[in-house]
Amino acid sequence: DDQDTRLSGSSDTYDKFGSLEAMPFTKQHFIEGGAHFSNAFVNTPICCPSRTEFFSGRYYHNIGPPNDVGGCMHVNTANAVKPQGMFKFLTDAGYNTGVFGKVTNDQGGILKALAQQKAVNV
């Protein structure tokens, strides 16, 4: 969700996949070696709300306002690590889970909570 179609401000350097040209290994792995969608939708296509929805399995209206005024994009990102979320669900099902890259803008607390729950392998 952070990869816009014109990172440099010039559309001349990007193809129909947008800024994936800036990430050739990602493009090769997912597009050339897998599948792509010509028409896809996401419920809330912006940073923390989108990630929190994905990790928690809840829609925007169910992830609530942040606990403090410094919350992330008007969502309570703590919902991403509730026991009924994706990480714990997969771990309980026997999968090894881990986190690579950005989880949310306030990911320090999120990663600590996941480690405490043993919902990710540290």
Side-chain angles (χ1 to χ4, degrees):
D1 66 80
D2 286 342
Q3 300 300 317
D4 62 14
T5 57
R6 296 184 206 170
L7 287 175
S8 68
S10 170
S11 62
D12 299 338
T13 57
Y14 298 105
D15 64 10
K16 67 180 180 177
F17 300 114
S19 60
L20 279 179
E21 283 299 312
M23 301 183 301
F25 297 114
T26 301
K27 179 180 178 187
Q28 180 181 8
H29 181 73
F30 286 108
I31 294 177
E32 295 168 6
H36 72 275
F37 299 92
S38 59
N39 190 17
F41 300 92
V42 64
N43 293 313
T44 311
I46 189 166
C47 200
C48 284
S50 183
R51 290 185 179 105
T52 302
E53 286 176 337
F54 178 75
F55 294 139
S56 69
R58 297 170 170 255
Y59 286 111
Y60 185 76
H61 64 277
N62 290 322
I63 55 177
N67 294 331
D68 59 59
V69 292
C72 186
M73 306 286 303
H74 306 290
V75 295
N76 180 359
T77 53
N79 282 298
V81 293
K82 289 199 172 177
Q84 64 272 30
M86 178 183 77
F87 295 109
K88 187 72 170 130
F89 176 76
L90 290 172
T91 302
D92 289 349
Y95 289 92
N96 291 319
T97 60
V99 177
F100 302 91
K102 184 176 171 183
V103 179
T104 61
N105 289 346
D106 56 349
Q107 70 185 23
I110 301 297
L111 295 174
K112 184 177 179 181
L114 288 171
Q116 289 172 340
Q117 294 175 18
K118 298 187 182 342
V120 294
N121 299 321
V122 214

